[in-house]
């Protein structure tokens, strides 16, 4: 069954939220904290090794109640069930949306067109595991019989951003294989990558769901040509594998049948890193870690599917985001992980959220009259504090922040980690509390700058009352990263359901592909 088509602005809760917004839009979070000693506990959630503190938002219990009513009125529960059981909720493409089935650890059947997809998922995972083990332990050899030392992932968009982000994020867990990513059609980039590679010991993983994408095919052909400078067509089977739904085209490229990893049309590109598209991840960190990564996502899936909305992490995060986007009129959200490993998280989330919810026609085919997808951006803390955070602290826009921190560092450098986490907490506090005229006055006096007070005071005042969520996770592990990504996937889903748009098509991306080919001609 398709998703229901409910205009959120026509619901009672939307009207309630509109009225409520007028009452609390200027309320200071400081006042809310003063009036409720338990505010931090009331507005906190737990999930496994995650603690989510959303108390520093411009919300009250009433706000949350109205937002939860909105989720109910737009029939979110019904939508979640349809999502998990494989209904064709990607109506414009006539497809189910089943990335959750790729990490379905209890193996319960999920049917698409009357066929259980789980056996195929398991079979592909088995193939990924066997292949990973063979490459990692050196049994799988390149065309001259040497062990593989380097892996190059050739793909773009969903066939690149996810694997690239996860490999970088889990660098701590990496084995001896060096990994490289070629995505852009920029010939200089592919040349730079090839410059340092040895044909005999490099494995090329071509990832393309459609196997028609200009960038990926051009890069793959260039690399094949380079490979054939010393090898023969028959050697391709030793150094090239592919991940695709388009088996004929892959074979046409010269890839041996046994070296093809299948995927399915019910997995969207930006949600595909859990499928064989994640082969480079499995190669880089080993299959047991890849399996733990899937398990973490699966745990988040269970939480999302079975937890009441008021305690449901992706649901609450999505509702808060809607509150700012649709009532405060904020335009963007910034995501700041306090670990260098997650530097690529923001570009990944940009695709996940903006390609999914960057839509202006609703599920009835009508132009929406309200805001949909947010602009997502970010980078790693503390680097951003020396860069764009100025605008978040003192600019004219309200920009809700997700701070992501980890209780433990991976190498155990306590001194660094304490400083890193002090910054994590300090930024949220500074955004929330700001710095009042009196505080600046006192501070300047204390520092002996009394003569400059008249001149500098207004510039040093911080309004505060700027919202953020603090997502504190025990440790950056494969399992927790899996859960974190799944959390954002489901947040994106909830927003799309409530905004009454189709989150799983991408006609904007496809237009770009078509036009580039026309211009080339
Ligand atoms: C993802 C998008 C897009 C896609 C790329 C690559 O959801 O549709 O980013 O992943 O355009 O497509 P192929 O995997 O088909 O080459």
């Amino acid at each position: 069954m398709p998703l229901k088509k409910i205009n959120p602005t026509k619901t009672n809760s939307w009207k309630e939220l509109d009225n409520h917004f007028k009452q609390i839009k200027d309320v200071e979070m400081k006042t809310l904290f003063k009036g409720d000693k338990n505010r931090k506990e009331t507005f906190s959630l737990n999930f496994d090794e995650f603690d989510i503190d959303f108390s520093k938002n411009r919300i009250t219990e009433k706000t949350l109640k109205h937002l939860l009513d909105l989720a109910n009125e737009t029939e979110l529960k019904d939508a979640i069930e349809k999502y998990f059981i494989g209904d064709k909720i990607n109506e414009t493409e006539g497809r189910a949306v089943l990335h959750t089935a790729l990490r379905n650890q209890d193996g319960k059947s999920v049917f698409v067109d009357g066929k259980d997809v789980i056996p195929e998922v398991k079979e592909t995972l088995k193939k990924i595991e066997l292949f990973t083990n063979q490459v990692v332990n050196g049994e799988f050899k390149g065309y001259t019989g040497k062990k593989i030392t380097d892996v190059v992932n050739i793909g773009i968009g969903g066939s690149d951003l996810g694997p690239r982000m996860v490999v970088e994020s889990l660098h701590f867990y990496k084995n001896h294989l060096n990994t490289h990513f070629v995505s852009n059609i920029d010939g200089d980039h592919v040349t730079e990558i090839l410059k340092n590679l040895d044909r005999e010991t490099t494995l090329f993983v071509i990832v393309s769901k459609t196997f028609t994408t200009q960038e990926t095919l051009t890069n793959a052909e260039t690399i094949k040509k380079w490979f054939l400078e010393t090898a023969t067509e028959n050697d391709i089977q030793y150094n090239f594998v592919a991940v695709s739904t388009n088996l004929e085209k892959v074979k046409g490229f010269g890839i041996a049948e046994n070296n093809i990893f299948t995927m399915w049309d019910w997995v969207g590109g930006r949600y595909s890193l859990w499928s064989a598209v994640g082969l480079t991840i499995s190669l880089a960190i080993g299959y047991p870690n890849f399996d733990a990564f899937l398990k973490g996502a699966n745990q988040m899936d269970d939480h999302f599917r079975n937890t009441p909305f008021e305690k449901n992490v992706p649901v609450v995060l999505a509702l808060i985001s809607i509150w700012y986007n649709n009532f405060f009129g904020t335009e963007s959200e910034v995501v700041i992980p306090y670990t260098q490993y997650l530097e690529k998280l923001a570009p990944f989330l940009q695709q996940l959220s903006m390609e999914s919810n960057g839509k202006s026609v609703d599920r009835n085919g009508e132009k929406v009259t309200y805001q949909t997808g947010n602009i997502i951006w970010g980078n790693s803390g503390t680097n951003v504090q020396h860069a764009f955070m100025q605008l978040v602290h003192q600019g004219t826009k309200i920009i809700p922040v997700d701070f992501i921190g980890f209780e433990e560092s991976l190498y155990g450098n306590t001194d660094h980690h304490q400083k890193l986490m002090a910054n994590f907490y300090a930024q949220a506090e500074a955004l929330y509390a700001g710095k009042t005229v009196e505080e600046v006055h006192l501070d300047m006096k204390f520092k002996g700058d009394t003569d400059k007070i008249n001149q500098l005071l207004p510039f040093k005042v911080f309004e505060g009352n700027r919202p953020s969520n603090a997502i504190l996770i025990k440790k950056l592990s494969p399992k927790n990263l899996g859960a974190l990504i799944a959390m954002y996937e489901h947040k994106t889903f909830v927003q799309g359901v409530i905004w009454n748009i189709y989150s799983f098509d991408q006609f904007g991306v496809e237009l770009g592909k078509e036009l580039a080919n026309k211009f080339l001609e």
Side-chain angles (χ1 to χ4, degrees), residues 290-521:
F290 185 63
D291 183 54
F293 173 69
L294 297 182
K295 286 201 165 89
N298 179 247
Q299 247 177 289
M300 182 57 81
D301 294 343
D302 286 346
H303 165 85
F304 176 57
R305 190 175 180 181
N306 301 318
T307 309
F309 290 164
E310 66 274 14
K311 292 205 174 343
N312 191 314
V313 175
V315 172
V316 170
L317 292 181
L319 291 174
I320 295 173
S321 171
I322 289 177
W323 174 235
Y324 292 119
N325 185 55
N326 294 93
F327 297 91
F328 280 86
T330 57
E331 296 265 297
S332 78
E333 275 173 18
V334 61
V335 181
I336 307 177
Y338 275 70
T339 167
Q340 196 54 32
Y341 289 114
L342 292 188
E343 203 190 9
K344 296 269 170 10
L345 181 67
F348 170 78
L349 295 179
Q350 276 175 339
Q351 180 187 29
L352 173 66
S353 173
M354 293 162 77
E355 194 172 334
S356 298
N357 288 337
K359 313 286 164 66
S360 51
V361 172
D362 71 12
R363 291 199 289 268
N364 294 305
E366 275 154 32
K367 187 122 184 82
V368 295
T369 53
Y370 45 89
Q371 288 292 317
T372 61
N374 283 307
I375 298 161
I376 308 288
W377 54 294
N379 210 322
S380 59
T382 60
N383 293 354
V384 301
Q385 294 171 209
H386 300 264
F388 63 63
M389 280 310 276
Q390 166 61 37
L391 186 139
V392 184
H393 284 288
Q394 281 191 308
T396 51
K397 297 173 173 62
I398 301 177
I399 301 171
V401 188
D402 274 0
F403 290 111
I404 301 170
F406 294 87
E407 280 173 49
E408 293 171 21
S409 73
L410 296 181
Y411 286 102
N413 189 329
T414 318
D415 174 47
H416 279 258
H417 199 62
Q418 282 177 350
K419 288 174 184 162
L420 182 70
M421 292 310 284
N423 278 282
F424 165 87
Y425 288 112
Q427 284 295 306
E429 183 63 22
L431 287 171
Y432 153 75
K435 202 166 180 183
T436 61
V437 172
E438 295 73 33
E439 283 164 347
V440 176
H441 205 279
L442 261 176
D443 193 35
M444 292 188 78
K445 227 163 137 187
F446 181 73
K447 287 183 179 146
D449 287 337
T450 320
D451 53 327
K452 295 194 195 122
I453 290 181
N454 281 347
Q455 182 203 348
L456 292 183
L457 192 127
F459 304 102
K460 288 183 169 253
V461 169
F462 290 73
E463 282 171 1
N465 212 23
R466 300 192 173 210
S468 67
N469 297 311
I471 300 166
L472 183 64
I473 304 169
K474 192 160 190 302
K475 184 178 158 183
L476 178 53
S477 62
K479 182 191 78 165
N480 286 337
L481 182 68
L484 183 71
I485 299 170
M487 179 190 90
Y488 279 111
E489 285 179 349
H490 298 321
K491 173 185 171 187
T492 304
F493 172 79
V494 172
Q495 291 178 305
V497 169
I498 295 181
W499 286 326
N500 193 29
I501 54 176
Y502 287 118
S503 300
F504 298 100
D505 58 19
Q506 54 284 310
F507 295 110
V509 173
E510 281 151 33
L511 176 68
K513 289 187 184 183
E514 270 168 44
L515 288 183
N517 283 326
K518 273 197 194 141
F519 272 85
L520 188 63
E521 277 164 32

Side-chain angles (χ1 to χ4, degrees), residues 245-303:
T245 54
N246 194 338
L247 305 190
E248 288 317 305
K249 284 231 173 213
V250 177
K251 282 189 215 156
F253 183 87
I255 291 190
E257 192 146 0
N258 199 35
N259 288 354
I260 305 174
F261 294 79
T262 41
M263 57 185 294
W264 307 273
D265 72 355
W266 42 260
V267 182
R270 54 195 172 278
Y271 298 88
S272 65
L273 54 84
W274 320 98
S275 70
V277 169
L279 182 61
T280 303
I281 305 174
S282 177
L283 289 166
I285 60 173
Y287 190 80
N289 282 323
F290 185 63
D291 183 54
F293 173 69
L294 297 182
K295 286 201 165 89
N298 179 247
Q299 247 177 289
M300 182 57 81
D301 294 343
D302 286 346
H303 165 85

Side-chain angles (χ1 to χ4, degrees), residues 2-4 74-83 87 309:
L3 294 177
K4 299 200 171 152
T74 49
E75 306 230 16
L76 179 60
K77 189 77 200 146
D78 171 79
I80 293 174
E81 266 323 283
K82 287 174 175 163
Y83 174 43
D87 279 2
F309 290 164

Side-chain angles (χ1 to χ4, degrees), residues 21-255:
F21 173 71
K22 284 174 201 132
Q23 287 155 22
I24 81 151
K25 67 182 171 37
D26 298 319
V27 167
E28 292 279 329
M29 287 191 273
K30 277 186 196 165
T31 316
L32 299 176
F33 268 97
K34 264 185 213 139
D36 177 6
K37 283 207 176 62
N38 297 322
R39 182 171 170 87
K40 190 169 175 319
E41 288 68 45
T42 310
F43 295 102
S44 283
L45 291 175
N46 300 103
F47 159 80
D48 190 38
E49 297 187 336
F50 288 44
D51 282 320
I52 290 110
D53 173 1
F54 61 102
S55 61
K56 292 191 182 72
N57 279 294
R58 291 164 73 166
I59 57 170
T60 62
E61 289 192 58
K62 214 173 188 181
T63 322
L64 208 53
K65 184 195 168 295
H66 292 317
L67 287 168
L68 291 164
D69 289 346
L70 177 66
N72 290 325
E73 275 194 85
T74 49
E75 306 230 16
L76 179 60
K77 189 77 200 146
D78 171 79
I80 293 174
E81 266 323 283
K82 287 174 175 163
Y83 174 43
F84 277 90
I85 64 172
D87 279 2
K88 294 198 173 170
I89 60 170
N90 177 3
E91 223 184 317
T92 45
E93 294 184 332
R95 292 174 182 167
V97 177
L98 276 178
H99 42 278
T100 52
L102 301 168
R103 53 220 191 193
N104 172 354
Q105 298 283 335
D106 60 12
K108 272 199 197 123
S109 302
V110 180
F111 293 92
V112 174
D113 293 327
K115 189 179 164 206
D116 183 5
V117 299
I118 299 300
E120 284 179 58
V121 168
K122 285 191 174 163
E123 205 180 296
T124 303
L125 283 175
K126 198 77 220 152
K127 187 165 170 166
I128 295 174
E129 180 178 10
L130 283 175
F131 185 70
T132 300
N133 291 344
Q134 283 172 349
V135 175
V136 173
N137 68 27
E139 250 171 75
F140 182 96
K141 296 190 169 62
Y143 74 103
T144 57
K146 290 189 184 166
K147 291 178 184 172
I148 298 297
T149 57
D150 290 73
V151 176
V152 180
N153 191 91
I154 310 164
I156 195 163
S159 300
D160 166 73
L161 282 164
R164 187 194 288 258
M165 181 273 286
V166 175
V167 167
E168 192 168 307
S169 301
L170 297 179
H171 188 90
F172 178 79
Y173 302 88
K174 260 187 96 218
N175 52 33
H176 62 282
L177 296 170
N178 304 308
T179 37
H180 314 266
F181 290 85
V182 177
S183 54
N184 201 323
I185 202 160
D186 177 358
D188 290 339
H189 184 232
V190 74
T191 308
E192 284 294 345
I193 299 265
L194 293 179
K195 212 163 71 179
N196 300 316
L197 291 175
D198 180 346
R199 291 173 182 82
E200 297 177 57
T201 59
T202 303
L203 176 72
F204 296 98
V205 182
I206 309 174
V207 187
S208 179
K209 183 174 164 183
T210 56
F211 225 75
T212 56
T213 305
Q214 189 194 56
E215 290 91 334
T216 303
L217 293 191
T218 307
N219 283 326
E221 287 294 346
T222 300
I223 289 171
K224 181 162 96 174
K225 214 164 131 201
W226 170 84
F227 178 75
L228 293 177
E229 282 172 22
T230 60
T232 66
E233 292 272 349
N234 187 49
D235 294 330
I236 291 178
Q237 61 183 306
Y238 299 103
N239 291 69
F240 286 77
V241 298
V243 181
S244 187
T245 54
N246 194 338
L247 305 190
E248 288 317 305
K249 284 231 173 213
V250 177
K251 282 189 215 156
F253 183 87
I255 291 190

